[in-house]
Amino acid sequence: MSSTRMNRRLVVAAGGAAVGTALLLSGCNGDGTANTENMKLSAADALAKTSQKAGRADSFKADLTVTGTGQNKGEVHADGRFQLRPTLKFSAKLDQFSSNGQTVPGAKGQALLTDNVLYAKVPQLARFVSDGKPWVKVDLNQMAQRTGFDLKSVVDQIQQVDPAEQTKMFTGSKDARRVGTETIDGVKTTHYSGTVTVQDALNRLDADARQKVEKWLPKDRANGKINFDLWTDGDNLPRKLVSKASDKQGDSGTVTVLYSDYGTSFKVNPPPADQVGQLSLDGILGGN
């Protein structure tokens, strides 16, 4: 098997585990009481305030669904708990992964990241794990050095579920509007809707965040546009986000994220040592 094909397989398996598992103001407070101050804000000011408040949320739970049409046809569903600061850690699972309308066998799995070490439980990687162990331990820096495949850049995309970055991009919208109020998972929210060009969205990000996002955007993004809907609670925090982008060929991708448990601390416990094997990088690159 060629190195290119095997790297592609590794991207699907590890990327599926990491990215898929991993790669947003309201008329009511979180307790359901009225928040008349927020209702006086314009939609643009409400989005800006939400982005600022979300930027102080270091941990949260996210439920992610990504669907694509045309050449991008497929679906990914993943959920997990994430801590962005002071260091990145997460515990996530991928329970739906399909491409071209067909489920990708063996791509479902779990991923844990703590202390810059990724633990993955992905059936598609099983034959490359020593001693038939269900979990594999991958040092992100070591993999990049030995294979040239920067798995860390894939894991970095986990941070794109960051509600602060998502909402910051949408503050570039020139037509954002308040739609009404709705209840999301038992929480009263205000619904906002609008569009933003891809370039205007990128311009709202700092250089580091922009660079991460640009890696995953099509080269013909200049005229691209993102349609978005955002539901926020009375604490100015995103509860649901739906964004849809299309390319010139008419292929589209839709991302839906449900957010909850802001500020809730959690522990990421590595799997028991006797359940963790080593990834045979030589076997992967050599092929069978």
Side-chain angles (χ1 to χ4, degrees):
M1 182 178 293
S2 71
S3 174
T4 300
R5 287 183 62 196
M6 196 60 250
N7 278 339
R8 191 175 298 122
R9 167 180 274 173
L10 185 58
V11 169
V12 171
V19 177
T21 307
L23 304 256
L24 340 165
L25 291 154
S26 152
C28 295
N29 288 318
D31 60 1
T33 59
N35 190 336
T36 56
E37 179 182 354
N38 287 342
M39 294 303 290
K40 296 177 182 178
L41 296 175
S42 68
D45 288 341
L47 289 174
K49 190 172 182 179
T50 294
S51 180
Q52 293 170 1
K53 183 65 180 290
R56 296 193 289 271
D58 294 333
S59 63
F60 54 87
K61 183 178 180 181
D63 185 293
L64 170 73
T65 302
V66 181
T67 58
T69 65
Q71 294 184 358
N72 301 318
K73 185 177 181 180
E75 180 174 350
V76 172
H77 177 260
D79 64 82
R81 292 184 177 275
F82 304 86
Q83 174 187 286
L84 302 179
R85 292 168 291 272
T87 57
L88 176 64
K89 68 177 182 179
F90 62 78
S91 174
K93 70 178 187 297
L94 175 68
D95 55 26
Q96 175 63 37
F97 191 98
S98 65
S99 179
N100 295 320
Q102 295 190 5
T103 298
V104 177
K108 299 179 183 180
Q110 295 175 258
L112 311 174
L113 180 74
T114 183
D115 298 327
N116 207 40
V117 176
L118 175 70
Y119 297 89
K121 185 179 183 181
V122 185
Q124 198 172 35
L125 281 178
R127 69 191 185 100
F128 301 110
V129 180
S130 63
D131 301 322
K133 302 297 178 63
W135 288 88
V136 62
K137 175 182 177 181
V138 181
D139 184 290
L140 303 182
N141 297 323
Q142 185 182 74
M143 173 167 276
Q145 293 169 1
R146 292 187 60 184
T147 71
F149 174 59
D150 188 6
L151 183 57
K152 188 176 187 302
S153 68
V154 176
V155 175
D156 281 344
Q157 298 308 308
I158 286 289
Q159 296 179 76
Q160 298 313 310
V161 299
D162 181 353
E165 298 295 347
Q166 294 288 341
T167 50
K168 189 181 295 183
M169 289 195 293
F170 299 144
T171 59
S173 173
K174 297 177 175 61
D175 62 2
R177 65 190 185 281
R178 182 181 288 107
V179 177
T181 58
E182 297 175 32
T183 299
I184 304 294
D185 289 339
V187 176
K188 294 182 180 180
T189 68
T190 297
H191 179 189
Y192 296 92
S193 185
T195 61
V196 61
T197 66
V198 172
Q199 196 58 56
D200 283 342
L202 289 174
N203 289 342
R204 296 289 171 157
L205 302 177
D206 60 36
D208 183 57
R210 188 185 309 122
Q211 185 178 37
K212 291 176 183 178
V213 173
E214 284 181 324
K215 291 179 182 179
W216 299 86
L217 291 176
K219 294 181 179 180
D220 61 349
R221 64 177 182 273
N223 299 315
K225 183 174 289 188
I226 300 172
N227 296 277
F228 68 88
D229 287 274
L230 166 68
W231 291 259
T232 60
D233 65 22
D235 291 325
N236 303 325
L237 289 169
R239 288 290 174 167
K240 181 179 179 180
L241 162 70
V242 178
S243 60
K244 181 177 181 179
S246 303
D247 61 23
K248 292 191 296 186
Q249 287 71 41
D251 297 338
S252 66
T254 301
V255 176
T256 301
V257 189
L258 294 171
Y259 291 106
S260 61
D261 293 1
Y262 285 103
T264 302
S265 61
F266 64 96
K267 293 185 64 175
V268 176
N269 297 313
D274 62 358
Q275 296 294 305
V276 180
Q278 294 296 316
L279 189 65
S280 176
L281 298 179
D282 293 335
I284 287 179
L285 296 178
N288 288 330

